[in-house]
Amino acid sequence: MQIEQIILSLQPNQNSYMQVFNNFSAIKQVLISINEEGGKTGFVPTMGALHEGHLSLITKACLENDFVIVSIFINPTQFNNLEDFDAYPRIVGQDLEMLEKFDDRVLIFIPQVEDIYPNGIVSQHFDFGGIENQMEGKFRPGHFDGVGTVLTTFFSLLKPDNAYFGEKDFQQLQIVKKLVAIQNFEVNIIGCPILREPTGLAMSSRNKRLNDSQLQESKLIFKVLKQVKKDFGTKSAKEIMQDVQKAFKNNTELNLEYFEIADESTLKPLQIVEKNKKYRAFIAVFAGEVRLIDNIALN
Ligand code: AMP
């Protein structure tokens, strides 16, 4: 079923309080009225396949704003891998059901590709001062150009007062703060804590693609991160790195792509621990074709 058909079939009865907009000109009128009345807007960009992690951002945004725009848009330019883009879960009907628990101050924006890319699906290139070249940037070439491009459009169109991003994608959060500084957007960027499954696995839309055995084994990711946090300060970065590699070495379901301890602001790999600096451990793991990322604050 087409997205619009799903929305139409849901709107009249079940979702009577929800306002769903599927192009920019429709939401623009509402934003103008909110602005005229001095209302504050929060923005939560998502790629759909919503879970409690997304809902936690929306809840926080509802507490801190008069209206909240939740976008659902699978941004093609931030995928460096076409198969990953094709396999990304698309379940708008279920997403709308999950959003029913919010009141009519939540505006759902499901833009058309042409709203976001009127001149064709291409990325702008950004210089984020080097943080774009670490970790995710290194392993997913062009990824942060795609993120910068889509958010430049969203921020320019929607002009939110506050925008909410999860620390689950910590490097992305730092990139967004940089983007706002470079482009002089008048929006506060608010980081939100990582929500986890009872097993410790960070919630992610991609978890929907894991089979039972992968799901079972993926507990190891957070277990390893917790151990790293314990060892930080007593073991060297090199020893910790070796322990992490060992933990994944014989696992038949998980393949370690990278593990890094990095400075939170520069995202450069740890050389020597300096006082007054904050460090985080970052990890990317493949479970079959599914790529999972996570991180933990170390001090
Ligand atoms: P996505 O739909 O994956 O692009 O995510 C949309 C937003 O939700 C991003 O700011 C993510 O960092 C955030 N997010 C995703 N997973 C989680 C989680 N487990 N806990 C908190 N925020 C999350």
Side-chain angles (χ1 to χ4, degrees):
M1 214 195 281
Q2 290 293 307
I3 288 175
E4 281 113 294
Q5 282 173 305
I6 296 173
I7 293 166
L8 283 175
S9 70
L10 285 172
Q11 261 180 336
N13 29 37
Q14 291 142 304
N15 300 324
S16 51
Y17 291 107
M18 252 176 9
Q19 302 194 64
V20 182
F21 304 87
N22 48 25
N23 60 59
F24 177 61
S25 32
I27 199 168
K28 195 176 162 191
Q29 294 311 315
V30 179
L31 295 178
I32 290 171
S33 328
I34 293 172
N35 197 28
E36 278 170 1
E37 287 173 28
K40 255 206 295 181
T41 51
F43 175 42
V44 183
T46 84
M47 298 204 298
L50 301 181
H51 50 69
E52 297 290 327
H54 295 115
L55 300 192
S56 72
L57 270 58
I58 301 169
T59 305
K60 186 169 167 59
C62 284
L63 292 170
E64 298 176 355
N65 299 276
D66 300 305
F67 287 88
V68 174
I69 307 158
V70 178
S71 65
I72 300 177
F73 181 69
I74 305 180
N75 175 34
T77 60
Q78 72 187 67
F79 286 81
N80 57 312
N81 176 335
L82 190 62
E83 281 149 33
D84 188 28
F85 175 70
D86 287 340
Y88 203 86
R90 289 162 169 82
I91 45 170
V92 180
Q94 286 176 43
D95 290 342
L96 293 178
E97 274 173 30
M98 284 189 84
L99 291 170
E100 271 179 50
K101 59 180 76 167
F102 295 99
D103 61 28
D104 58 0
R105 296 183 310 125
V106 172
L107 316 175
I108 300 151
F109 182 36
I110 308 181
Q112 307 298 309
V113 175
E114 303 77 50
D115 281 312
I116 308 298
Y117 294 101
N119 303 315
I121 303 173
V122 278
S123 281
Q124 261 174 270
H125 179 64
F126 295 90
D127 179 353
F128 293 117
I131 56 172
E132 72 276 27
N133 300 322
Q134 307 295 336
M135 302 180 288
E136 290 300 283
K138 211 182 284 173
F139 286 91
R140 301 185 69 189
H143 172 64
F144 288 124
D145 279 340
V147 170
T149 302
V150 76
L151 289 176
T152 294
T153 303
F154 273 133
F155 289 156
S156 310
L157 290 177
L158 304 172
K159 299 185 176 53
D161 296 287
N162 300 305
Y164 297 79
F165 293 85
E167 288 184 350
K168 153 88 178 6
D169 302 281
F170 191 84
Q171 190 173 5
Q172 170 175 274
L173 172 62
Q174 301 297 64
I175 290 273
V176 178
K177 287 181 183 166
K178 207 73 184 211
L179 175 77
V180 166
I182 295 168
Q183 307 273 57
N184 288 318
F185 288 124
E186 287 180 17
V187 53
N188 301 311
I189 302 303
I190 296 158
C192 305
I194 303 173
L195 257 75
R196 300 180 177 281
E197 301 291 350
T199 61
L201 176 66
M203 289 182 179
S204 165
S205 306
R206 290 188 166 88
N207 294 353
K208 293 188 167 62
R209 295 176 55 204
L210 299 175
N211 65 33
D212 288 348
S213 168
Q214 291 166 336
L215 209 48
Q216 176 68 16
E217 291 302 319
S218 59
K219 290 186 226 168
L220 182 63
I221 300 169
F222 189 51
K223 193 173 160 212
V224 163
L225 287 182
K226 281 193 298 188
Q227 188 60 44
V228 168
K229 188 175 171 109
K230 256 191 208 161
D231 294 341
F232 184 73
T234 59
K235 288 188 177 183
S236 71
K238 193 175 164 196
E239 280 173 299
I240 293 177
M241 172 76 86
Q242 285 167 348
D243 290 346
V244 171
Q245 282 167 346
K246 210 162 130 198
F248 286 95
K249 196 166 174 224
N250 296 321
N251 193 295
T252 51
E253 296 290 0
L254 307 177
N255 280 309
L256 180 65
E257 183 176 50
Y258 69 74
F259 169 78
E260 198 105 59
I261 295 177
D263 179 317
E264 274 197 3
S265 57
T266 63
L267 296 178
K268 286 193 180 148
L270 169 70
Q271 302 289 345
I272 313 158
V273 178
E274 287 178 51
K275 266 192 187 167
N276 307 324
K277 283 207 165 173
K278 285 188 157 190
Y279 298 96
R280 235 170 227 266
F282 297 85
I283 195 164
V285 168
F286 274 99
E289 299 292 306
V290 185
R291 190 167 179 279
L292 302 170
I293 60 169
D294 202 350
N295 67 82
I296 194 166
L298 298 178
N299 59 345

